[in-house]
Structures are given as C-alpha cells and as structure tokens.
Amino acid sequence: MDYRFFTGAACALLLLAAARIAIGHRHRVGSHWLLILMLGAFLYLLRPLLNDHNGLTDLLIDLPTLLIPGAFWVFTHQLCNDKESFPRWGWVLIGTEIAIDLASQLHLHAFFYLLAQPCKLGLIGAGLATLLQQLQSDLVNERRQLRIGLLIAIGSYMVIVVCAEFVFSYFPIPSGVATLHAIMASALAFAACLWLLALSPRALEESLPSIADEPEPTTQRHTAPAASPAQPEPLDANQHVLLTKLQQHMQAGGYRHTGLTIRELADQLATREHALRALINQHLGFRNFNEYLNQFRIDEASRRLCDPNEAHLPVLSIALDIGYRSLSPFNAAFKRRHNQTPTEFRRAHLPE
C-alpha cells in the first residue's frame, strides 16, 4: 500500500466534499473560492500520478494549483468579514503572486522560483491572520469552530507543504515522505468530509452569509443597523432575564468601556459567555460582537455630533468617550452606518 492509495483516497474525499459544497452552499458568499481551493488541492495531489509530459497540458493542470494561496486568503476574508469587501490592494498582491508563480512554472529564471515561495507564504499568512482577526468577537459558534479548524489544520498543512517544496527542491526527498504527505492529505480530507457531512452539516450555511446579504455598493447602503433574524426562537425565562440585564447595562453606558470584550461583558452581567453569545447572535441578530457595540456607540456619536452644545468637542474626544481606542476604527464604523465621515456628518447637521 503506497502513496497512490492514499492520494486516490484523498482525491475521492475532496470530490465528495466539493460536491456537498457545490450542491448545498452554491448561494453562499465565498463558496466558489472554497471550491477553487479544493480543485487546486485535488490537482496538486493528482499531479504526481499523471505521466503526461506535454508542456502545455502540464501548465493547464498546474494552473489551478497556482490559485491556492490567493483563494485561501479570499475565502478566509469572506468567511470572517460580513460587511467588508475584499480590498483592492489584496487583488494586486494575489495577481502579483500568480504572475511570479507562473513565471517560475515556465522556468523563465531561477530568481522567480526563489521569489515564488515567500509570496505563497505571504498570502497564506494573510489568510491565517484574517482567521485570527476578531476571533474572540465572532458570535457565530459554527464559524468560530471553522476558523479554528482552518487555522490549525489547513493553514498549518499549507505552510508545511510550501516549505517542504522549497527544501526538497535543493535536497533529495527522503523515502516515505511522499507516502506521509498522501496520508496527511487523506486524513485532512476525511476529517473535512466527516465534519461537513455528519458532525456539523450546517457549518458552512451558518458561517457564510447568503449572497443576498452581501455588502451593498457605497451609493446604496442603508443607514440602519443590521436587521435581526426574521423568526428567532422564543426566549425562555433565563434568556428573558439575561436580555433585560443586557439592555439595562447598555442603556446605562456599558458599551463605553474601552476594549470591551464579550468575556468581560459576561463577567459584568454575571452570566456564562456562551449564553451571552447565543443571545446576541440568535435573538438580536448580530454575527460579530464589535458590530453589536458599534450600534450603541454610533447612535451616541450621531446624537453628540448633531448637538450644538458639543460642537466645540473634537471628533477624537467623542470617539474616545464612547469606547474607541483611536479615531480610525470609529471613522470606519461611522462611515459604514451613515456613508459619511463623522466630520462630514457634523457639518451637514450643524448650522454654520
């Protein structure tokens, strides 16, 4: 039993997982990038078993594998950011990495190969950093589990593979490494199928927003906060008590605490963190704790920016008063709500 068996098993499991995603989650934001990632992994594993040495055919087979680092970054961004589109400078970096990797595949110069590996690691690292960003603030339990799984398993595996490719391009490959690689790939593919098909079949559905919920163009954004779920489950007695405590705490200005985390808020309310997460997510309709806080903070900021008695206060002072550490995150949150910067909003609502 050699690496061909495990490679075939990994490829079959990847096809099974891809079929599940394509059929069940085709209307979810980011699902197509996950499919591109899986296609690249499928061809990457299958490539050593193909004996075709035609240059053009080889290049066509290898092309999807060039997309793996970039697809991983875009997918993690769309998984973790409900309200922000992928940055334009990110597309530039991905395009540059693909061009360098393609030049390396065409053997244009040895320099391109040396440059391609750090570029791959850079995009994978950006994806891992995205998974870590605001992980504690994520209120969707299934998505937090998916982020941790991607971070530990898939991200680490990709980093190991890229580093191993670079090392073994200069040193002989020890016997058994190919089989070990195939075993690792089949184990990861099996774990993914087990999770998606049996343990948590609604994981991606809960994690990825619907295409209908994508951020609207700048000119069409509404000023209202995110809507709550249409038909949340009824609150039980304990949840009613917790909701009342939460509302009273926020009305008293609990959101003004700088750097407030959901763990700290749970301690302040003398409740369990997971119960508070479920309440804010499932019954108030927020997928991220910071967005929940921003609802109160931007409401207060909007009132104060329209108040002639506070016209002398700098915008930074108001931002610090309501819980922001600096002006940049306040400006970003305010502009998402009003499609204006705080300064523009104040100028529009206060008489000259």
Side-chain angles (χ1 to χ4, degrees):
M1 188 179 297
D2 59 11
Y3 77 96
R4 292 178 179 84
F5 171 82
F6 292 104
T7 297
C11 289
L13 290 168
L14 279 173
L15 287 177
L16 180 62
R20 172 70 179 89
I21 294 168
I23 294 172
H25 307 293
R26 61 184 181 276
H27 298 304
R28 294 284 164 178
V29 175
S31 59
H32 56 289
W33 288 105
L34 181 56
L35 289 173
I36 291 173
L37 180 63
M38 297 177 76
L39 172 63
F42 173 82
L43 291 176
Y44 178 82
L45 292 170
L46 195 64
R47 185 68 185 84
L49 301 180
L50 302 177
N51 297 319
D52 190 354
H53 296 289
N54 180 282
L56 179 59
T57 304
D58 288 350
L59 180 61
L60 292 176
I61 293 174
D62 290 336
L63 275 177
T65 67
L66 305 184
L67 303 177
I68 290 177
F72 176 71
W73 185 16
V74 177
F75 171 69
T76 57
H77 184 277
Q78 295 186 338
L79 173 70
C80 302
N81 294 276
D82 295 320
K83 296 183 178 297
E84 298 179 13
S85 57
F86 192 75
R88 292 182 180 179
W89 56 266
W91 293 117
V92 174
L93 293 181
I94 291 174
T96 302
E97 187 276 332
I98 292 174
I100 292 173
D101 206 355
L102 184 60
S104 172
Q105 294 286 339
L106 295 174
H107 306 289
L108 297 183
H109 196 281
F111 171 75
F112 287 111
Y113 181 77
L114 294 174
L115 191 58
Q117 306 308 103
C119 288
K120 289 180 184 178
L121 289 175
L123 295 187
I124 294 172
L128 297 178
T130 303
L131 292 172
L132 279 172
Q133 184 181 18
Q134 297 188 2
L135 176 60
Q136 177 64 19
S137 300
D138 197 336
L139 298 175
V140 184
N141 184 56
E142 298 284 4
R143 185 167 62 178
R144 292 181 74 238
Q145 295 177 359
L146 181 57
R147 288 170 75 152
I148 294 171
L150 286 170
L151 185 67
I152 296 175
I154 307 301
S156 301
Y157 171 74
M158 292 171 66
V159 170
I160 291 172
V161 168
V162 172
C163 292
E165 280 184 347
F166 185 75
V167 170
F168 294 140
S169 63
Y170 295 98
F171 297 96
I173 302 177
S175 60
V177 168
T179 302
L180 177 62
H181 177 216
I183 292 174
M184 289 175 58
S186 59
L188 285 174
F190 175 77
C193 285
L194 181 65
W195 189 57
L196 286 174
L197 301 178
L199 299 180
S200 189
R202 292 177 58 86
L204 284 177
E205 184 177 348
E206 296 293 332
S207 301
L208 296 172
S210 171
I211 290 176
D213 299 330
E214 279 188 296
E216 298 178 354
T218 302
T219 57
Q220 298 179 1
R221 287 179 185 164
H222 299 289
T223 58
S228 299
Q231 294 181 337
E233 296 181 4
L235 294 170
D236 59 28
N238 291 332
Q239 290 171 328
H240 268 297
V241 172
L242 179 57
L243 179 60
T244 301
K245 290 171 61 177
L246 176 62
Q247 291 173 335
Q248 292 175 348
H249 186 74
M250 288 299 170
Q251 289 170 2
Y255 57 87
R256 296 192 187 102
H257 178 71
T258 303
L260 180 65
T261 65
I262 192 166
R263 181 171 300 171
E264 293 172 340
L265 181 57
D267 290 339
Q268 293 170 8
L269 298 175
T271 189
R272 293 171 294 180
E273 182 182 338
H274 74 86
L276 184 59
R277 285 182 180 276
L279 179 71
I280 298 175
N281 174 228
Q282 298 172 13
H283 298 285
L284 300 182
F286 291 88
R287 294 166 62 87
N288 185 280
F289 181 63
N290 290 333
E291 289 299 325
Y292 173 69
L293 291 180
N294 285 339
Q295 173 190 236
F296 298 96
R297 291 172 173 174
I298 300 304
D299 281 347
E300 179 177 342
S302 301
R303 292 192 300 269
R304 295 177 66 176
L305 289 169
C306 293
D307 187 351
N309 295 325
E310 297 199 33
H312 65 284
L313 284 178
V315 172
L316 176 60
S317 297
I318 295 177
L320 297 178
D321 286 346
I322 59 178
Y324 290 98
R325 295 183 185 274
S326 63
L327 194 57
S328 178
F330 170 61
N331 283 340
F334 194 94
K335 193 167 185 179
R336 281 199 300 271
R337 167 76 76 86
H338 293 293
N339 197 26
Q340 289 179 311
T341 66
T343 301
E344 292 169 343
F345 183 86
R346 170 181 268 178
R347 189 181 301 121
H349 288 80
L350 284 181
E352 295 293 338

